[in-house]
Amino acid sequence: MNYMLKYSFACLLLLLAFTSCREEPNYPDEPQISFKRIEKFSHEPSGVKTDTLTFVIGYQDGDGNLGLRPYDSRQEATDPDSQAPFNFGSPYYNNFFLKFYEEIEQPDGSKEFVPFRGGFELQQRFPRISSDEREEPLEGEIRFKFAFTELEVNPGTVMRFEAYIYDRTTPVPHKSNVVISEPVTLLE
């Protein structure tokens, strides 16, 4: 019994030594994102052919200031996520931007991605990643869902997407790099 206790204690010390030596990653304060994948779910609610896409991007941020709480429209709102520069009408009100591109055959027979419907863009807020104000490096994934129906696009339409995010740096939030998704064929 004493033999087991002695080795258990040694294993515990070894485990603590390994975990205490782990260095935090050193990411830049500007968010860095990468395209991970598009998950496609095809279904027919009410007989309408629909593809629900989940766009997944990876992120890294050195100071951990990603995400915004829901906007509070009251005049006396004191939440910094509802005040300038994140107030309604500001270019930083939303922090996730996704531009849509459609593959179109050109007169010479080549194919080119052009802005979908003249430049359609999804703009949303994603919630705070960290619940406190502590500056710490963060890494993970952000996921957004949206759907296309056969009433909006023709079956076989090939789409591609560009995305970027903003952090909560004030007075001017940092913009991430722009990532481009792989093409996805809709309603096939």
Side-chain angles (χ1 to χ4, degrees), residues 18-26 137:
F18 279 125
T19 58
S20 65
C21 293
R22 186 177 150 247
E23 281 188 41
E24 283 194 355
N26 187 18

Side-chain angles (χ1 to χ4, degrees), residues 145-172:
K145 282 187 180 181
F146 47 92
F148 289 98
T149 71
E150 61 187 341
L151 304 174
E152 300 164 320
V153 296
N154 294 324
T157 298
V158 178
M159 301 284 289
R160 185 175 77 184
F161 309 92
E162 288 184 1
Y164 60 94
I165 64 174
Y166 283 105
D167 68 11
R168 289 192 312 274
T169 300
T170 56
V172 179

